[in-house]
Amino acid sequence: MHGIIFSELRKYVEAKTGNKGWDALTARAGLGMKLYTPFGAYPDAEVVALVTAASEVTGLPANTILEDFGEFIAPSLLSMYGHLLDPKWKTLDVLEHVENTVHTVVRVKNQGAAPPQLKIARTSPSEAVLKYDSPRKLCAVAKGIAKGVGKHFKENLFITETQCMHRGAPHCTIHFRT
């Protein structure tokens, strides 16, 4: 998992719990006082341990935390990669083109980064359908990021997931509608 996810997760935890929340969470996750740099690459199991610990502490399901986290990081991602986006784009345009723009650059410029391969079909001017297939099964983060992008563009985004890997499907199918 790319270090930027851990850096953003730390910001998220501290925003929700205060400055000492991250240290408590890493300790509960069995990771001690581990430091993560935005440019490093770390085992996926460590983010799983952190989210599991957060779920235990809060009583919230892991997917609820992950979706909220995705929404939280959307402004940072737009700040980091916004220069790759067409200024005329809105929410669904960004979702439609994220694989060809942002993910392509992330894979080339960040050794160890492995964002999911996204297959997005624009089915109408007001709808896009995402086929999410990743061994990490972080579809909740994808939904949260989409929500955050919608907020950025001040658009109401309606999300429906018709298939999910967490329910035994071979991939997740997520419909986004404005």
Side-chain angles (χ1 to χ4, degrees):
M1 180 82 56
H2 195 267
I4 196 71
I5 296 298
F6 288 92
S7 297
E8 291 297 316
L9 185 58
R10 180 179 184 148
K11 289 178 193 173
Y12 170 76
V13 168
E14 290 178 348
K16 297 287 183 181
T17 64
N19 290 341
K20 296 189 186 238
W22 178 253
D23 292 341
L25 187 64
T26 56
R28 183 173 182 107
L31 301 172
M33 301 297 282
K34 185 156 186 178
L35 296 175
Y36 297 96
T37 65
F39 304 105
Y42 304 94
D44 291 355
E46 292 182 16
V47 81
V48 170
L50 289 163
V51 172
T52 300
S55 180
E56 291 167 358
V57 168
T58 64
L60 295 171
N63 279 342
T64 300
I65 293 168
L66 289 168
E67 189 169 327
D68 191 50
F69 169 65
E71 188 173 342
F72 176 86
I73 67 171
S76 291
L77 295 174
L78 286 165
S79 176
M80 284 183 263
Y81 300 109
H83 66 284
L84 301 171
L85 309 178
D86 186 318
K88 294 177 280 197
W89 287 351
K90 295 290 190 182
T91 305
L92 294 180
D93 303 309
V94 171
L95 297 178
E96 179 183 7
H97 296 288
V98 72
E99 184 62 37
N100 298 346
T101 55
V102 176
H103 282 182
T104 298
V105 170
V106 168
R107 286 185 190 95
V108 169
K109 290 195 171 198
N110 300 291
Q111 187 140 356
Q117 289 280 341
L118 303 178
K119 293 183 178 133
I120 301 174
R122 189 70 174 265
T123 55
S124 78
S126 62
E127 186 170 16
V129 178
L130 166 64
K131 179 182 174 188
Y132 177 96
D133 185 8
S134 169
R136 292 181 177 134
K137 298 182 181 181
L138 295 175
C139 52
V141 175
K143 289 188 285 187
I145 291 171
K147 280 184 180 179
V149 171
K151 280 187 176 179
H152 172 80
F153 288 108
K154 297 176 178 52
E155 293 184 299
N156 290 324
L157 186 65
F158 301 94
I159 302 171
T160 308
E161 188 172 36
T162 56
Q163 291 188 106
C164 185
M165 293 181 289
H166 293 285
R167 295 189 304 268
H171 62 270
C172 299
T173 303
I174 306 167
H175 299 257
F176 301 101
R177 188 173 44 85
T178 55

mmCIF file of all heavy atoms in Angstrom, residues 116-145:
data_model
loop_
_atom_site.group_PDB
_atom_site.id
_atom_site.type_symbol
_atom_site.label_atom_id
_atom_site.label_comp_id
_atom_site.label_asym_id
_atom_site.label_seq_id
_atom_site.Cartn_x
_atom_site.Cartn_y
_atom_site.Cartn_z
ATOM 1 N N PRO A 116 -6.006 0.514 -7.573
ATOM 2 C CA PRO A 116 -6.796 -0.497 -8.276
ATOM 3 C C PRO A 116 -6.989 -0.123 -9.743
ATOM 4 O O PRO A 116 -7.004 1.054 -10.101
ATOM 5 C CB PRO A 116 -8.139 -0.473 -7.539
ATOM 6 C CG PRO A 116 -8.210 0.889 -6.943
ATOM 7 C CD PRO A 116 -6.798 1.263 -6.603
ATOM 8 N N GLN A 117 -7.115 -1.143 -10.574
ATOM 9 C CA GLN A 117 -7.480 -0.924 -11.970
ATOM 10 C C GLN A 117 -8.982 -0.661 -11.976
ATOM 11 O O GLN A 117 -9.755 -1.510 -11.550
ATOM 12 C CB GLN A 117 -7.170 -2.165 -12.815
ATOM 13 C CG GLN A 117 -5.717 -2.420 -13.030
ATOM 14 C CD GLN A 117 -5.129 -1.538 -14.131
ATOM 15 O OE1 GLN A 117 -5.819 -0.988 -14.953
ATOM 16 N NE2 GLN A 117 -3.819 -1.406 -14.111
ATOM 17 N N LEU A 118 -9.376 0.515 -12.436
ATOM 18 C CA LEU A 118 -10.792 0.865 -12.465
ATOM 19 C C LEU A 118 -11.307 0.804 -13.891
ATOM 20 O O LEU A 118 -10.682 1.333 -14.806
ATOM 21 C CB LEU A 118 -10.999 2.275 -11.901
ATOM 22 C CG LEU A 118 -10.485 2.514 -10.484
ATOM 23 C CD1 LEU A 118 -10.706 3.959 -10.087
ATOM 24 C CD2 LEU A 118 -11.146 1.572 -9.487
ATOM 25 N N LYS A 119 -12.446 0.173 -14.057
ATOM 26 C CA LYS A 119 -13.118 0.157 -15.358
ATOM 27 C C LYS A 119 -14.417 0.921 -15.169
ATOM 28 O O LYS A 119 -15.305 0.458 -14.448
ATOM 29 C CB LYS A 119 -13.361 -1.273 -15.807
ATOM 30 C CG LYS A 119 -12.075 -2.004 -16.103
ATOM 31 C CD LYS A 119 -12.320 -3.402 -16.615
ATOM 32 C CE LYS A 119 -10.965 -4.012 -16.930
ATOM 33 N NZ LYS A 119 -10.802 -5.319 -16.419
ATOM 34 N N ILE A 120 -14.482 2.077 -15.799
ATOM 35 C CA ILE A 120 -15.640 2.942 -15.615
ATOM 36 C C ILE A 120 -16.278 3.205 -16.971
ATOM 37 O O ILE A 120 -15.605 3.602 -17.924
ATOM 38 C CB ILE A 120 -15.241 4.264 -14.941
ATOM 39 C CG1 ILE A 120 -14.595 3.966 -13.589
ATOM 40 C CG2 ILE A 120 -16.451 5.172 -14.782
ATOM 41 C CD1 ILE A 120 -14.024 5.148 -12.883
ATOM 42 N N ALA A 121 -17.578 2.959 -17.037
ATOM 43 C CA ALA A 121 -18.335 3.215 -18.262
ATOM 44 C C ALA A 121 -19.306 4.351 -17.994
ATOM 45 O O ALA A 121 -20.041 4.323 -16.999
ATOM 46 C CB ALA A 121 -19.094 1.965 -18.672
ATOM 47 N N ARG A 122 -19.281 5.324 -18.858
ATOM 48 C CA ARG A 122 -20.242 6.430 -18.769
ATOM 49 C C ARG A 122 -21.486 5.974 -19.511
ATOM 50 O O ARG A 122 -21.474 5.829 -20.728
ATOM 51 C CB ARG A 122 -19.628 7.680 -19.391
ATOM 52 C CG ARG A 122 -20.418 8.943 -19.183
ATOM 53 C CD ARG A 122 -20.341 9.366 -17.696
ATOM 54 N NE ARG A 122 -20.954 10.641 -17.482
ATOM 55 C CZ ARG A 122 -20.305 11.799 -17.470
ATOM 56 N NH1 ARG A 122 -18.998 11.842 -17.657
ATOM 57 N NH2 ARG A 122 -20.950 12.915 -17.249
ATOM 58 N N THR A 123 -22.556 5.702 -18.792
ATOM 59 C CA THR A 123 -23.761 5.152 -19.397
ATOM 60 C C THR A 123 -24.733 6.233 -19.854
ATOM 61 O O THR A 123 -25.629 5.948 -20.647
ATOM 62 C CB THR A 123 -24.459 4.180 -18.426
ATOM 63 O OG1 THR A 123 -24.696 4.866 -17.188
ATOM 64 C CG2 THR A 123 -23.577 2.958 -18.164
ATOM 65 N N SER A 124 -24.571 7.442 -19.349
ATOM 66 C CA SER A 124 -25.387 8.584 -19.763
ATOM 67 C C SER A 124 -24.689 9.836 -19.234
ATOM 68 O O SER A 124 -23.743 9.740 -18.451
ATOM 69 C CB SER A 124 -26.810 8.480 -19.196
ATOM 70 O OG SER A 124 -26.841 8.849 -17.834
ATOM 71 N N PRO A 125 -25.137 11.018 -19.621
ATOM 72 C CA PRO A 125 -24.510 12.237 -19.087
ATOM 73 C C PRO A 125 -24.610 12.344 -17.564
ATOM 74 O O PRO A 125 -23.795 13.017 -16.942
ATOM 75 C CB PRO A 125 -25.296 13.367 -19.766
ATOM 76 C CG PRO A 125 -25.820 12.764 -21.019
ATOM 77 C CD PRO A 125 -26.118 11.329 -20.676
ATOM 78 N N SER A 126 -25.572 11.639 -16.971
ATOM 79 C CA SER A 126 -25.757 11.749 -15.521
ATOM 80 C C SER A 126 -25.438 10.456 -14.768
ATOM 81 O O SER A 126 -25.717 10.358 -13.573
ATOM 82 C CB SER A 126 -27.190 12.184 -15.207
ATOM 83 O OG SER A 126 -28.100 11.206 -15.670
ATOM 84 N N GLU A 127 -24.830 9.468 -15.438
ATOM 85 C CA GLU A 127 -24.526 8.223 -14.746
ATOM 86 C C GLU A 127 -23.240 7.587 -15.269
ATOM 87 O O GLU A 127 -22.934 7.637 -16.458
ATOM 88 C CB GLU A 127 -25.670 7.217 -14.902
ATOM 89 C CG GLU A 127 -25.453 5.951 -14.079
ATOM 90 C CD GLU A 127 -26.676 5.038 -14.028
ATOM 91 O OE1 GLU A 127 -27.596 5.200 -14.834
ATOM 92 O OE2 GLU A 127 -26.682 4.160 -13.162
ATOM 93 N N ALA A 128 -22.505 7.000 -14.326
ATOM 94 C CA ALA A 128 -21.309 6.224 -14.649
ATOM 95 C C ALA A 128 -21.352 4.955 -13.801
ATOM 96 O O ALA A 128 -21.860 4.964 -12.676
ATOM 97 C CB ALA A 128 -20.042 7.018 -14.365
ATOM 98 N N VAL A 129 -20.806 3.879 -14.351
ATOM 99 C CA VAL A 129 -20.791 2.603 -13.642
ATOM 100 C C VAL A 129 -19.341 2.162 -13.507
ATOM 101 O O VAL A 129 -18.599 2.084 -14.487
ATOM 102 C CB VAL A 129 -21.619 1.531 -14.387
ATOM 103 C CG1 VAL A 129 -21.550 0.201 -13.638
ATOM 104 C CG2 VAL A 129 -23.058 1.993 -14.552
ATOM 105 N N LEU A 130 -18.963 1.871 -12.290
ATOM 106 C CA LEU A 130 -17.598 1.445 -11.972
ATOM 107 C C LEU A 130 -17.577 -0.057 -11.726
ATOM 108 O O LEU A 130 -18.367 -0.580 -10.936
ATOM 109 C CB LEU A 130 -17.099 2.168 -10.717
ATOM 110 C CG LEU A 130 -15.845 1.623 -10.031
ATOM 111 C CD1 LEU A 130 -14.632 1.731 -10.937
ATOM 112 C CD2 LEU A 130 -15.601 2.351 -8.717
ATOM 113 N N LYS A 131 -16.652 -0.734 -12.404
ATOM 114 C CA LYS A 131 -16.346 -2.130 -12.093
ATOM 115 C C LYS A 131 -15.047 -2.071 -11.297
ATOM 116 O O LYS A 131 -13.991 -1.746 -11.830
ATOM 117 C CB LYS A 131 -16.175 -2.954 -13.354
ATOM 118 C CG LYS A 131 -15.837 -4.405 -13.060
ATOM 119 C CD LYS A 131 -15.631 -5.206 -14.328
ATOM 120 C CE LYS A 131 -15.152 -6.605 -14.008
ATOM 121 N NZ LYS A 131 -14.779 -7.324 -15.223
ATOM 122 N N TYR A 132 -15.144 -2.355 -10.010
ATOM 123 C CA TYR A 132 -13.997 -2.300 -9.101
ATOM 124 C C TYR A 132 -13.565 -3.723 -8.815
ATOM 125 O O TYR A 132 -14.347 -4.521 -8.301
ATOM 126 C CB TYR A 132 -14.400 -1.581 -7.811
ATOM 127 C CG TYR A 132 -13.302 -1.535 -6.773
ATOM 128 C CD1 TYR A 132 -12.476 -0.435 -6.667
ATOM 129 C CD2 TYR A 132 -13.091 -2.614 -5.913
ATOM 130 C CE1 TYR A 132 -11.455 -0.404 -5.718
ATOM 131 C CE2 TYR A 132 -12.076 -2.586 -4.973
ATOM 132 C CZ TYR A 132 -11.264 -1.484 -4.873
ATOM 133 O OH TYR A 132 -10.261 -1.449 -3.944
ATOM 134 N N ASP A 133 -12.317 -4.017 -9.132
ATOM 135 C CA ASP A 133 -11.787 -5.357 -8.908
ATOM 136 C C ASP A 133 -10.373 -5.204 -8.360
ATOM 137 O O ASP A 133 -9.470 -4.793 -9.076
ATOM 138 C CB ASP A 133 -11.783 -6.135 -10.222
ATOM 139 C CG ASP A 133 -11.354 -7.577 -10.041
ATOM 140 O OD1 ASP A 133 -11.206 -8.027 -8.886
ATOM 141 O OD2 ASP A 133 -11.161 -8.254 -11.058
ATOM 142 N N SER A 134 -10.220 -5.471 -7.093
ATOM 143 C CA SER A 134 -8.918 -5.364 -6.452
ATOM 144 C C SER A 134 -8.834 -6.389 -5.337
ATOM 145 O O SER A 134 -9.803 -6.574 -4.598
ATOM 146 C CB SER A 134 -8.732 -3.951 -5.877
ATOM 147 O OG SER A 134 -7.592 -3.903 -5.043
ATOM 148 N N PRO A 135 -7.682 -7.034 -5.192
ATOM 149 C CA PRO A 135 -7.550 -7.983 -4.074
ATOM 150 C C PRO A 135 -7.664 -7.300 -2.708
ATOM 151 O O PRO A 135 -7.945 -7.947 -1.716
ATOM 152 C CB PRO A 135 -6.167 -8.596 -4.287
ATOM 153 C CG PRO A 135 -5.466 -7.719 -5.260
ATOM 154 C CD PRO A 135 -6.504 -6.979 -6.032
ATOM 155 N N ARG A 136 -7.481 -5.996 -2.676
ATOM 156 C CA ARG A 136 -7.606 -5.265 -1.407
ATOM 157 C C ARG A 136 -9.055 -5.109 -0.967
ATOM 158 O O ARG A 136 -9.320 -4.852 0.203
ATOM 159 C CB ARG A 136 -6.958 -3.892 -1.539
ATOM 160 C CG ARG A 136 -5.467 -3.949 -1.682
ATOM 161 C CD ARG A 136 -4.899 -2.555 -1.775
ATOM 162 N NE ARG A 136 -3.458 -2.606 -1.837
ATOM 163 C CZ ARG A 136 -2.718 -1.913 -2.686
ATOM 164 N NH1 ARG A 136 -3.289 -1.085 -3.541
ATOM 165 N NH2 ARG A 136 -1.412 -2.022 -2.671
ATOM 166 N N LYS A 137 -9.970 -5.176 -1.899
ATOM 167 C CA LYS A 137 -11.404 -5.059 -1.610
ATOM 168 C C LYS A 137 -11.739 -3.759 -0.863
ATOM 169 O O LYS A 137 -12.473 -3.761 0.116
ATOM 170 C CB LYS A 137 -11.910 -6.280 -0.844
ATOM 171 C CG LYS A 137 -11.777 -7.573 -1.624
ATOM 172 C CD LYS A 137 -12.337 -8.751 -0.855
ATOM 173 C CE LYS A 137 -12.169 -10.028 -1.669
ATOM 174 N NZ LYS A 137 -12.731 -11.177 -0.968
ATOM 175 N N LEU A 138 -11.196 -2.654 -1.346
ATOM 176 C CA LEU A 138 -11.439 -1.355 -0.716
ATOM 177 C C LEU A 138 -12.463 -0.531 -1.501
ATOM 178 O O LEU A 138 -12.317 0.672 -1.682
ATOM 179 C CB LEU A 138 -10.117 -0.592 -0.571
ATOM 180 C CG LEU A 138 -9.104 -1.227 0.379
ATOM 181 C CD1 LEU A 138 -7.784 -0.467 0.353
ATOM 182 C CD2 LEU A 138 -9.665 -1.293 1.798
ATOM 183 N N CYS A 139 -13.520 -1.194 -1.929
ATOM 184 C CA CYS A 139 -14.567 -0.504 -2.673
ATOM 185 C C CYS A 139 -15.189 0.622 -1.841
ATOM 186 O O CYS A 139 -15.614 1.639 -2.400
ATOM 187 C CB CYS A 139 -15.637 -1.488 -3.140
ATOM 188 S SG CYS A 139 -16.311 -2.535 -1.834
ATOM 189 N N ALA A 140 -15.220 0.476 -0.535
ATOM 190 C CA ALA A 140 -15.774 1.528 0.322
ATOM 191 C C ALA A 140 -14.951 2.813 0.200
ATOM 192 O O ALA A 140 -15.509 3.910 0.215
ATOM 193 C CB ALA A 140 -15.828 1.057 1.776
ATOM 194 N N VAL A 141 -13.646 2.683 0.065
ATOM 195 C CA VAL A 141 -12.797 3.873 -0.120
ATOM 196 C C VAL A 141 -13.145 4.541 -1.448
ATOM 197 O O VAL A 141 -13.259 5.769 -1.525
ATOM 198 C CB VAL A 141 -11.300 3.522 -0.047
ATOM 199 C CG1 VAL A 141 -10.438 4.738 -0.360
ATOM 200 C CG2 VAL A 141 -10.941 2.958 1.323
ATOM 201 N N ALA A 142 -13.348 3.737 -2.487
ATOM 202 C CA ALA A 142 -13.710 4.295 -3.799
ATOM 203 C C ALA A 142 -15.020 5.067 -3.713
ATOM 204 O O ALA A 142 -15.140 6.174 -4.263
ATOM 205 C CB ALA A 142 -13.805 3.182 -4.842
ATOM 206 N N LYS A 143 -16.001 4.511 -3.021
ATOM 207 C CA LYS A 143 -17.285 5.208 -2.867
ATOM 208 C C LYS A 143 -17.094 6.509 -2.090
ATOM 209 O O LYS A 143 -17.667 7.542 -2.446
ATOM 210 C CB LYS A 143 -18.307 4.311 -2.162
ATOM 211 C CG LYS A 143 -18.774 3.170 -3.034
ATOM 212 C CD LYS A 143 -19.919 2.395 -2.405
ATOM 213 C CE LYS A 143 -19.433 1.514 -1.293
ATOM 214 N NZ LYS A 143 -20.472 0.629 -0.755
ATOM 215 N N GLY A 144 -16.290 6.469 -1.048
ATOM 216 C CA GLY A 144 -16.042 7.673 -0.260
ATOM 217 C C GLY A 144 -15.326 8.749 -1.060
ATOM 218 O O GLY A 144 -15.681 9.937 -0.979
ATOM 219 N N ILE A 145 -14.322 8.357 -1.830
ATOM 220 C CA ILE A 145 -13.614 9.333 -2.664
ATOM 221 C C ILE A 145 -14.594 9.964 -3.644
ATOM 222 O O ILE A 145 -14.590 11.191 -3.838
ATOM 223 C CB ILE A 145 -12.417 8.686 -3.385
ATOM 224 C CG1 ILE A 145 -11.318 8.327 -2.377
ATOM 225 C CG2 ILE A 145 -11.868 9.621 -4.474
ATOM 226 C CD1 ILE A 145 -10.189 7.482 -2.955
#
